[in-house]
Amino acid sequence: MSDPWLTIIGIGEDGLAGLSEASRKALAKAETVFGGERHLALAEIGSRGRPWPVPFDADVVLSCRGRPTVVLASGDPFWHGAGASLAEKLDSGEWIAHPAPSTFSLAAAQLGWRLESTVCLGLHAAPFERLGPHLARGARIICLVRDGKAAGDLARWLSERGWGASAFWMLAALGGPRESITEYRADSLAGDLAGNLVTVAVEAKGGQGMPRSSGLSDDLFVHDGQITKRPVRALALSALAPRAGERLWDIGAGSGSISVEWALDGGTAIAVEAREDRAANIRKNAAAFGLAHRITILTGRAPEALAGLEAPDAVFIGGGLDEVLFDAIWPRFSPGARLVAHAVTLETEALLGELHRRHGGELMRAEISHAAPLGRYRSWEAARPVVQWSVVR
């Protein structure tokens, strides 16, 4: 096997002084060196350097295939860096990597935090809402942000959501001669701060955080009344049995509340909704929970909208199941896939009874009434029963 033509090198703020002998040899041999302008300056590359295109495009490196080439990245190239984007396009024998300590490692070392229990996020190209599921009292979070202005925006974002009492560190140029670390309280950070490639550390204080039990409050969702209510949603999610990495089809998604709670457990969801106004609500909810990258919204009717989709690990149908839809989706289930369907009409209830007879599973009826004040007494609101059928393929 020939030697790899591509070397992926992690470089820190100490530049050449912090590189291993193997990294320096690869740099000396390279005909072309790719990296950000800061990386190229730290490595003193000169005319062999080629700054990354904006937006980032890994294919420019492939144009040098077979020739000695180096890619420079900050710290560990495989942690929020370019390493994986390149490696997935190459055979294993084409590249070798020499990582340096990641920014997360350097920040944790400065703060004395246990890295294994610290949340590490890249927010330089992602919305702040990605923080939402991780915010809890005492949570320690290290974030990569674009620049000092973004760090100030993040402090305001936290303060507006009740986390203004959080300890907030700005860390810049870690590991180099220009290293600086400044601690603030999030709600006392005023103005936009200068500086690029800033790291932010947060120790969360002031808020309560998002509950992680199934059945979040309906008030957390934007909806027009078309929402699987909290107690019924908890029953459905229990039967859907979310697992990290699995795919859900949420058919007739309404507000997308089932998709949101599924995605909070680490899965991905495809929310299918016929009405555009409700699809807009799903988009708002996905964004508010920081889950837009995990929830795909399809505006259309099933089963037509499901054509071409990868097979699901679970399917939820909150209403409107009929024989045509069932016959279209059932053959696409793999062994172990789960189907949970609700009925609120007698017609659909009868269908679920027949499907239960043919395919087994669990058929249950739930009636949940809420107490309402009536003078000195209370009355029970009339409950609309929900029939739930759940089955494993």
Side-chain angles (χ1 to χ4, degrees), residues 196-223:
N196 297 321
L197 296 171
V198 173
T199 303
V200 166
V202 176
E203 188 167 37
K205 300 175 185 176
Q208 290 185 310
M210 186 186 302
R212 299 312 297 264
S213 59
S214 293
L216 295 176
S217 169
D218 297 347
D219 294 338
L220 295 175
F221 299 93
V222 177
H223 64 90

Side-chain angles (χ1 to χ4, degrees), residues 97-380:
H98 302 302
S102 70
T103 303
F104 300 110
S105 295
L106 294 171
Q110 288 290 345
L111 298 171
W113 290 0
R114 293 180 181 273
L115 192 56
E116 71 271 15
S117 57
T118 299
V119 176
C120 299
L121 297 174
L123 298 182
H124 44 302
F128 295 152
E129 282 75 15
R130 295 274 180 93
L131 265 177
H134 303 288
L135 287 171
R137 289 176 182 170
R140 288 175 167 177
I141 305 168
I142 299 174
C143 309
L144 305 181
V145 297
R146 187 173 52 256
D147 50 28
K149 179 184 182 304
D153 291 342
L154 177 56
R156 284 188 287 275
W157 184 90
L158 287 166
S159 300
E160 290 166 358
R161 286 156 180 79
W163 297 96
S166 299
F168 191 96
W169 287 266
M170 295 267 293
L171 306 98
L174 290 174
R178 299 179 297 106
E179 177 178 276
S180 67
I181 303 171
T182 310
E183 181 179 356
Y184 304 87
R185 185 174 141 134
D187 57 10
S188 69
L189 191 63
D192 294 331
L193 305 177
N196 297 321
L197 296 171
V198 173
T199 303
V200 166
V202 176
E203 188 167 37
K205 300 175 185 176
Q208 290 185 310
M210 186 186 302
R212 299 312 297 264
S213 59
S214 293
L216 295 176
S217 169
D218 297 347
D219 294 338
L220 295 175
F221 299 93
V222 177
H223 64 90
D224 62 358
Q226 187 70 17
I227 182 173
T228 303
K229 298 296 194 296
R230 181 182 60 81
V232 176
R233 190 179 339 120
L235 290 174
L237 287 162
S238 176
L240 287 167
R243 297 179 179 91
E246 290 190 329
R247 181 184 304 107
L248 171 74
W249 290 355
D250 183 3
I251 299 176
S255 67
S257 60
I258 290 282
S259 290
V260 165
E261 295 213 40
W262 174 278
L264 284 172
D265 282 324
T268 59
I270 298 174
V272 181
E273 173 52 54
R275 286 177 46 169
E276 176 53 44
D277 57 337
R278 288 176 177 165
N281 286 340
I282 300 171
R283 281 189 283 273
K284 292 175 184 176
N285 288 324
F289 281 87
L291 297 169
H293 60 306
R294 290 188 173 274
I295 299 175
T296 301
I297 298 136
L298 297 181
T299 305
R301 294 187 178 277
E304 294 80 11
L306 307 174
L309 297 181
E310 293 187 57
D313 299 291
V315 172
F316 176 70
I317 305 173
L321 177 66
D322 56 26
E323 288 274 12
V324 173
L325 177 56
F326 179 80
D327 290 342
I329 64 175
W330 186 247
R332 298 178 65 178
F333 279 34
S334 301
R338 289 87 67 197
L339 169 65
V340 176
H342 284 177
V344 295
T345 66
L346 292 176
E347 181 182 14
T348 309
E349 181 179 342
L351 173 60
L352 294 190
E354 174 60 20
L355 293 174
H356 175 252
R357 185 189 66 79
R358 287 172 9 206
H359 299 283
E362 181 180 28
L363 188 66
M364 60 183 290
R365 180 195 297 269
E367 292 190 24
I368 301 173
S369 300
H370 294 273
L374 184 64
R376 295 172 53 193
Y377 306 98
R378 68 172 182 267
S379 65
W380 292 98

Side-chain angles (χ1 to χ4, degrees), residues 56-73:
F56 171 77
D57 182 5
D59 288 339
V60 298
V61 178
L62 301 185
S63 66
C64 299
R65 199 175 221 139
R67 308 297 303 171
T69 306
V70 163
V71 163
L72 294 173

